[in-house]
Structures are given as structure tokens and as C-alpha cells.
Amino acid sequence: LSHCTMWTGNQFTSALFAAVLGLVVAGAFIPASAFSTPATHYVTRTTRSTDGQLSAVAPPPNPTSKVTSGAPNSIDDLKMQILDAIDPTKRGLSATADQRSLIESKIRVLEGACPLVAPARDSRMAGGWEVLYTTAPPPSNGQLGPFVGVAKQFIDLEGGGYSNILQVGENNWLSAVLDASWEEWDGSLLVDKGGGEKWREAVVEINDDEDGSAGVAGENDASSNNAFDGLMNMFGGQNKAKEGTDKTPDYGAKSWKVDFKTITISLFGFPLLSKTFPEDTARVWKMTYLDDDTRIVRAGRTGKASDDVVFYMVRDDSL
């Protein structure tokens, strides 16, 4: 899940299938409609029209935005373009290579317009969020085997915790909740304990030379202390760490280290399986855009740009 990085591998899938199959065999009734993804309620300023298409009501102009209101690439216009590009991709699950490249290019423009110096410390991080699009592989993209759900997230800023939530079917007959904690990232790279190949393969690389942006940071940059500097410069040059050579980069201003604690899978609201993660099961979140109703995260297994996948989220006040 968001759900990013949010999930680890498929270690729970087999157990989930066995448990669900056992209940079905025992006589539990699951209607066919329960296997479909429920209609999404895009709260705040994002809605779904009667024909099922994504739409958005433009928020008030942001006077601090680097993109001026009314310009061809205004914040509102960029968001609408992203929603239009995302709409036919089933939250990224069915996106073609061309669609992923198009969405990536538009997301990068919005990231470059982020007016915040320290989005990871902004109070608007708190609360509920819904993943509209991600390039993450299963199950972080909301798919568990044949089950496809809606990935959400709830962040507790004061308590230093958060929950990644996967909801499947009408009335959320199947759900998975990953509880975790977060702290500001100090820039130390994490050790990939396996499975990182899928994440690296999911990273979308595009050539931004025509608009003056750099390409995706390479392995050499990512393994150095300048890894995050290079990544953020690519997304608009917002990292101020290089202003003084004796100044330690403030990685925590834009990034968190998140530590997974437990995951619980429930069926019809009843806990079915619960698992405690091994110690040091962690990820790095890089907050590249944040405003009242939209949030973009680049999340990876190590902190290197080479395994960062993207999550495009909108505010969800239902959580």
C-alpha cells in the first residue's frame, strides 16, 4: 500500500487465500459484487461523476505557489491533467508504459511547484489519505492476488504513528491494516533485505532534458550523501542543503524513516490473521508535494532514488 512501500512482499497472500477459501468452503457467503472495488469517494475537492470518471473541483488559488494562478500550467490545471491521465489506469494497475511516462512527467511538474521547504513537518501531513495512483508493485499497489482494493493511509503526527489500510469490496468485506511508526530520516541508507528488484523495476524513468530537468538520479548519486540533494534538485531545486559546505543536509525536512510494526487482515470486520514484522523492517518516504488536498510521496526500500516509486494521494476525511 501506500500504499508505499508500504507493504512488504507477498508473505501474507498465501495465508489470506487459505483462510478465505476455508471460510467459503465452510459456508460463508460472499456475493459477487463484493469482489469489485467500491466506488471511490474523493473528499474535499476531488469527486467522481455519474459516469465513473474522475473529476476535481478547483481549490482556491494558492498565492505562495510557484505556478501563477491562471497560467497554462497552474496548480489547478496540473491536478486536472494528472487526474485525466490517471483515470483510465485503474489507479496504476493497468497503466501502459506510455501512460506511466505521461503521468510521471506531469507529476514531476507538480512536484517542482511545491512551495514548501519542509513538507514532512507540515501539519497538513496529518489525517486520512487515499491513493489514486502508484507505480509500486503488488501488494503495495492495492492488489492481493485476485483481490483489488482501495489503498488508504492515516497519519498521526502527534503520536508518531500511521496506518496503511487496504479495503476490498462493498462494505469493505476484506481489509488489511499495517500499523507503523515514523521518525525524521537522517539520510542513512537502509539495507535492502530482499525483494528490491521489483521496486527498482517499477521506477519510471523519463528524459526531461527538453524542459531543463535532470533525469532520474543514478545508482552512484543515490549511494552518496548527495543522493537526496540530487533527487530534490530534479524536482525543482528545493533542497537548500548545499548553500553552505559546512551545513549538514536537513533530510528530515522532506523525508521520514518508517518502521513497520504489525499487519492485521480482517474478514467482515473480524481479525483473521495478524503478524508482527521483524525488527528493522523500514522504508524511506520522501515528501515531494503537499497542499490542503494533495500529497505526493516517493517511497523506497533503501533511500536511494533507484528504488523510489511514486504515490499520488488525495485527502480522505472519512478515516
Side-chain angles (χ1 to χ4, degrees):
L1 285 185
S2 54
H3 349 132
C4 145
T5 318
M6 310 216 168
W7 302 94
T8 65
N10 294 316
Q11 61 262 50
F12 304 106
T13 304
S14 296
L16 171 62
F17 292 162
V20 173
L21 180 60
L23 286 177
V24 171
V25 172
F29 174 69
I30 304 178
S33 60
F35 291 88
S36 61
T37 303
T40 304
H41 302 287
Y42 297 100
V43 299
T44 310
R45 297 181 178 89
T46 310
T47 61
R48 184 178 292 274
S49 62
T50 55
D51 61 359
Q53 301 297 306
L54 294 178
S55 61
V57 178
N62 184 348
T64 63
S65 172
K66 296 181 181 179
V67 182
T68 58
S69 178
N73 287 327
S74 69
I75 293 294
D76 300 344
D77 182 52
L78 284 171
K79 289 182 180 181
M80 289 298 298
Q81 290 180 29
I82 292 172
L83 288 178
D84 288 342
I86 287 173
D87 191 35
T89 71
K90 297 180 179 178
R91 301 175 187 265
L93 286 172
S94 65
T96 65
D98 287 344
Q99 287 173 322
R100 286 194 295 270
S101 294
L102 175 64
I103 294 168
E104 175 73 14
S105 65
K106 293 183 181 299
I107 285 178
R108 290 190 189 187
V109 175
L110 184 57
E111 287 172 317
C114 182
L116 304 177
V117 175
R121 294 174 181 151
D122 195 284
S123 62
R124 288 172 292 184
M125 287 283 295
W129 297 92
E130 179 179 331
V131 177
L132 290 191
Y133 173 82
T134 181
T135 56
S140 297
N141 59 5
Q143 182 172 9
L144 283 173
F147 306 118
V148 178
V150 176
K152 300 185 178 185
Q153 185 177 96
F154 185 84
I155 296 176
D156 178 4
L157 281 185
E158 293 185 1
Y162 74 91
S163 297
N164 292 314
I165 305 162
L166 177 62
Q167 299 173 335
V168 177
E170 295 181 5
N171 301 317
N172 304 325
W173 67 272
L174 178 64
S175 66
V177 178
L178 186 154
D179 290 315
S181 62
W182 62 268
E183 62 183 347
E184 292 191 356
W185 186 43
D186 63 5
S188 300
L189 296 179
L190 309 182
V191 176
D192 186 352
K193 298 180 179 179
E197 296 81 6
K198 289 184 178 180
W199 286 84
R200 288 189 290 273
E201 291 172 0
V203 175
V204 178
E205 298 187 23
I206 60 175
N207 186 352
D208 289 334
D209 290 343
E210 293 183 359
D211 62 14
S213 300
V216 173
E219 192 75 23
N220 292 335
D221 290 338
S223 60
S224 71
N225 288 334
N226 295 325
F228 194 47
D229 295 4
L231 179 69
M232 295 313 298
N233 286 337
M234 178 183 72
F235 294 143
Q238 298 172 39
N239 195 332
K240 307 300 182 183
K242 291 187 177 181
E243 289 181 353
T245 56
D246 59 343
K247 186 176 181 180
T248 301
D250 187 7
Y251 295 103
K254 296 180 174 73
S255 302
W256 288 353
K257 172 178 172 284
V258 298
D259 294 279
F260 296 165
K261 301 302 182 183
T262 62
I263 181 172
T264 302
I265 297 175
S266 300
L267 191 65
F268 300 112
F270 296 97
L272 193 65
L273 300 171
S274 186
K275 174 76 174 181
T276 299
F277 286 95
E279 205 169 329
D280 297 326
T281 303
R283 300 289 184 265
V284 175
W285 290 1
K286 300 169 184 175
M287 270 57 79
T288 57
Y289 184 86
L290 177 69
D291 64 20
D292 291 345
D293 58 22
T294 302
R295 177 167 154 248
I296 302 173
V297 176
R298 301 273 174 175
R301 302 170 66 91
T302 63
K304 297 180 181 180
S306 57
D307 65 12
D308 283 347
V309 296
V310 67
F311 288 84
Y312 186 89
M313 293 174 264
V314 295
R315 177 72 65 186
D316 185 346
D317 291 333
S318 67
L319 296 177

